[in-house]
Amino acid sequence: MKTFTKLGLLTLATCLSFSAHAHRSWMLPSATILSGDAPWVTVDAAVSNDIFYFEHFPLQIEGVGQPFARPGAQQPPQAADGKPAPQPMQRPRASLQIQRPDGSLAQPQFGNTGRYRSTFDVELDQKGTWKLAIANQGLFASYELDGERKRWSGKLEDIKAAIPAKADKLQVTRSSSRMEVFVTSGAPSEQVLKPTGKGLELAPSTHPNDLVQGEAARFVFLLDGKQAANVKVTLIREGIRYRDTLDEIELTTNDQGEFSVDWPQAGMYWIEAVSSMPVKDDSPVTQRRDSYTATLEVMAP
Amino acid sequence: MRKLFLPLALLTASPLLSAARMDIDVEIPRLDVAEYHRPYVALWLEQDGRHVANLNVWYDIKMKDNEGEKWLKDMRQWWRRSGRTLEFPVDGVSAATRAPGVHNLTFSASDDALKGLQAGEFQLLVEAAREVGGRELLRIPLQWPIDQQQTGEARGSHELGRIAATLTP
């Protein structure tokens, strides 16, 4: 039980940045294409193995409900010698940015964090395309000390103090992750699609709220604002519980960072892209890993 | 000579005096369902795969706070082609939903909607979406301009009945 709690928190802490591992973080909007004066969307946010099923942890978001802790996890577990064991690594709740079509920021409403998911609502009080984004940066190290495998995460300037000089097989990974959802009230607009120039980002040629089954959509991935070649892209359609195979679509960006998808079926899709490369500079960082995920809705023709 | 020439020129060249028209019969089927709501219906014209003009959009225009506009997007193809760029209500296009039965609509060839057509084939599209029901899209190919009598027809299977277009020169 103790191990389980600890593992759970550790998983929660790392999955935001290391989403290629089994647990995935995602946001699922109730709709992406809306009509009317000021329609609302409600959004589920969770961390799970199976895309769009609530079965592991809520995605904890600042300003959305109360922080979730497993019952009993508040008490520090006892180590074998009777002293309190060290607290498992905890991260602050994710910071959600809700961007209006004109770039101004809105707040999530009616937020709640439950056992398996967080939910919040957004009133689309401006026409055009909105972006909901959670972006994270982190620094992770793994090494061996006297044959034992260790992990560490923290700030670059603390690395020297935290990791003994005699550490073996030291790997320091600088990571960034970005998770996005786009929703459009009325006609699609472009303002929120402008890249920030940091980490891995989607630069859509086809508007992300104008995707239709049977039509090819074209996108570009950018890494720090530059076209990112050879990025692995995975797409998974909703409803995996009701089929035998994942039916993943796996693609790789070309030299211009582009890829295109011919949507086989309508539905919500989870898209993930990961870029990994060695870092050769004066810092202790040995590699960087940048990931991007989004939930895209493909309409029936 | 001059007196004779002027009226003749008007008759042949001016569409204003032309009686050419498009009549459309739209059948809303009577459905035996526990909860019935009249469908939202959009009628529009396309040419070469591009939206040319809206003829009519039937939706709940009477609801308070324009709540009826919330479901316009359910006519998803029309919404994508045109609806999403419009401010509602649209003069001469927005109209109330209609009861089951056959509704006759008439558009003069000189109406703004039809004037945007180029010579050649065009399509009349009819899309219906019903609350707690389904959605259906029908298209009828027709020819522009109206040189001779033409008819086109399509039949829906659940949300729409028979749609018939008659073009009269």
Side-chain angles (χ1 to χ4, degrees), chain A residues 31 33-37 39 127 185-188 209-212 215 299-301, chain B residues 65-67 69-74 76-77 79-81 84-85 87-88 135 137:
Chain A
I33 294 174
L34 297 105
S35 59
D37 280 352
K127 297 274 184 190
S185 169
N209 291 141
D210 201 16
L211 309 175
V212 178
E215 290 184 17
M299 302 302 287
Chain B
D65 302 329
N66 304 325
E67 272 285 310
E69 295 170 14
K70 189 172 157 186
W71 296 283
L72 285 170
K73 49 118 181 119
D74 291 344
R76 61 176 184 256
Q77 183 139 160
W79 183 251
R80 187 179 187 218
R81 294 291 165 92
R84 67 190 187 182
T85 64
E87 286 285 333
F88 293 91
R135 173 257 182 199
L137 174 70

Side-chain angles (χ1 to χ4, degrees), chain A residues 1-200:
Chain A
M1 184 61 202
K2 281 176 197 166
T3 327
F4 185 67
T5 307
K6 207 167 164 180
L7 267 178
L9 284 166
L10 192 69
T11 314
L12 185 63
T14 50
C15 62
L16 281 175
S17 310
F18 283 84
S19 48
H21 298 310
H23 291 122
R24 283 110 166 213
S25 304
W26 43 266
M27 291 192 280
L28 181 65
S30 54
T32 61
I33 294 174
L34 297 105
S35 59
D37 280 352
W40 289 72
V41 283
T42 184
V43 182
D44 289 317
V47 179
S48 70
N49 273 323
D50 286 349
I51 287 305
F52 305 146
Y53 293 105
F54 316 111
E55 28 92 323
H56 185 57
F57 273 105
L59 177 59
Q60 305 226 45
I61 298 169
E62 201 59 55
V64 173
Q66 299 301 311
F68 165 76
R70 280 182 83 92
Q74 310 285 28
Q75 300 293 323
Q78 300 267 300
D81 55 7
K83 289 176 189 159
Q87 281 289 305
M89 183 166 63
Q90 289 232 34
R91 304 199 108 208
R93 297 196 289 168
S95 159
L96 167 71
Q97 211 185 48
I98 302 175
Q99 229 182 318
R100 288 195 182 86
D102 68 0
S104 64
L105 299 179
Q107 291 303 310
Q109 301 190 57
F110 301 109
N112 181 58
T113 296
R115 175 60 187 84
Y116 281 158
R117 66 171 164 174
S118 296
T119 64
F120 60 89
D121 299 345
V122 182
E123 184 182 15
L124 306 178
D125 55 18
Q126 206 175 86
K127 297 274 184 190
T129 300
W130 292 59
K131 181 165 81 176
L132 284 54
I134 292 176
N136 279 297
Q137 286 83 42
L139 191 71
F140 298 86
S142 71
Y143 58 96
E144 282 183 14
L145 197 63
D146 304 326
E148 201 187 333
R149 208 171 146 72
K150 305 267 192 190
R151 286 175 67 97
W152 175 87
S153 105
K155 291 192 175 118
L156 189 60
E157 59 263 33
D158 299 332
I159 250 187
K160 273 208 167 121
I163 300 174
K166 60 171 184 170
D168 242 0
K169 298 182 186 166
L170 176 64
Q171 291 276 332
V172 182
T173 305
R174 191 174 64 222
S175 79
S176 82
S177 70
R178 171 172 283 275
M179 182 194 315
E180 293 182 333
V181 162
F182 302 95
V183 297
T184 295
S185 169
S189 62
E190 308 283 330
Q191 166 90 12
V192 300
L193 305 181
K194 286 183 189 146
T196 67
K198 284 184 198 151
L200 194 61

Side-chain angles (χ1 to χ4, degrees), chain B residues 143-154:
Chain B
Q143 291 290 327
W144 187 261
I146 310 174
D147 295 329
Q148 52 184 338
Q149 180 96 5
Q150 286 177 58
T151 56
E153 149 173 354

